[in-house]
Amino acid sequence: MARFIFASAVYLLIGLIVILPVVLVFVMAFSHGLATALATFADPDALSAIRLTVIMTVLTVAINTVFGVMAAWTLSRFRFPGRGALIVLIELPLSVSPVVGGLVWLLVFGTQGWWGAALERWGYPVMFAPPGILLATVFVTFPYVTRTLMPVMIHNGREGEDAAVLLGAGLWQILWHVTLPGARLALLSGVLLTTARAMGEFGAVSVVSGHIPGLTETIPLHIETLYNGYQTVAAFTMAGLLAIMAMLVVTARTLIERRAGARGLIA
Amino acid sequence: MVTKTRLTRRGLLQATLAGGAALALRPTRAWAATGLLNVSYDPTRELYQDIDRSFSRFWAEGHGGAPVQIRTSHGGSGAQARSVLEGAPADIVTLGLAYDIDILAQNGLLATNWQTRLPHNSTPFTSTIVFLVRKGNPKNIHDWPDLIRDGVQVITPNPKTSGGARWNYLAAWGWALNQPGGSADSARAYLKKLFTHVPVLDTGARGATNSFVQRGLGDVLLAWEDEALLATREIGPDQFDIVVPPVTILAEPPVAVVDRNAQAHGTTEIAQAYVQYLFSDAGQKIGAKHYFRPVTPAILAENRDRFPAVHTFDIASLGGWTKVQKEHFADGGIFDSIYTK
């Protein structure tokens, strides 16, 4: 009986907090019919926002996957002074407000900051341009790959790697043939988590973007601009698109984790 | 321990830089080919959408049909000025108040005498601050004292980030100051009371309008006249009434070419043409259509039904923006002292 009550409560909460808002997004998007909703994508600014979001997400995932793997490997295999501090630092973006993440880059690369004026003179503006958006997105999604990989790498232990060393394998061979295959599913899960977070990031990107329609607006920023411009249907259609993209990623992640769980690969 | 940490962070920085650099080339090139960027304040979205289209046609006719792409970004006036100061590549700024452009001039982005370079103090359209209330004015709000009655909730954005909010605040301040027996102390007491009636502080005027119009917060919105007219005529017809208080402020949102950016982008000529276009009859008519008061008397007269005569005082009567900004909105100024209870 208790189990039944708890389960109902959980379903009710999830229904109210998670499912209802998503349903409402689609209701609003299609409130004036399918044609009106689809007309959103005829706007070049909307297409630009979608393109920018995809490019930023792909680059962010690439960068954070490389660094996440390196960090997780280093932290799980070696004991060195400052290891604890390093783990805390890597997880810092999880606890710092994304707005702060954006402001920090502004301090470094803004024209009032350390390097901004010089970079601008050379014709490489970082802030209020895609490179700044990339920096901000990389910052907020930095911990995910490391965090999903590290426990699995620790769980897998280093016997396999030690054996590979004895057989004469080099560093890259060990990484490619021993370490990563053992943590493949965890890696994929971390990558997908990074993807979902990178697509949806608003706060940090908002600070460094300048909100220039057609140039530096990602999907979440474009949604805000549309909403503030009283283009409600277009705003919710873009929100619906973002929701679909996120749901695809989360579904992929769940399927992968289920496989991993079945094989006992995730501790 | 410290060195390890620092090494890793530097590594991160270098790598992200390398990634970013690969991408940096593309937007820069695209920019030079097409761009004119107007960094504007919040309630001008519809206005500049129209102006941009119209100017683009006008420019193409006079210059062999060469297309020109004008982009406009919007936000709270102070926040937008901050972005330009930090490097947002604005060729033109059209902000909510002169002080926000003064800041840019002080930092060398444009000449300090910018306000004398165009007619009417570089202000193509004026506006004023009015009250937007629910249909039928159920709380019976007609004048500034009504705002601090029990049970009245007032929506106004944050004067730290929003130009419109500073005009709202100063309209209230100027009214209180000019009451019989009014003084800086009585005005401060009035504003302190007023802000206890403000449930949310949005960062920009459009956010505040959304709070009032779409989210249904508050009984009265202190708003730009243009924003209030837009809300009553286009967003929610028959949902709102405009109340013009007996005395209010003359709001003068100015425009300027950002010399340094325009020179760097090679857009000085077209940027100047753009700001001059705002003062042309065509530009003035578009302004009136979007509820901004034209400065050209003939076009204002044509639109008298839309813009009733109001009794206003201007910013100069309060000592000008530099003085007002320092006294009221700087850190530790009067706004801080009344808002942090």
Side-chain angles (χ1 to χ4, degrees), chain A residues 108-130:
Chain A
V108 177
F109 291 110
T111 43
Q112 304 293 304
W114 300 344
W115 305 336
L119 281 165
E120 201 188 68
R121 257 201 308 284
W122 298 335
Y124 287 96
V126 173
M127 290 295 111
F128 310 107

Side-chain angles (χ1 to χ4, degrees), chain A residues 122-125 129-131, chain B residues 18-32:
Chain A
W122 298 335
Y124 287 96
Chain B
L23 221 90
L25 264 173
R26 222 175 52 95
T28 321
R29 226 186 293 126
W31 188 252

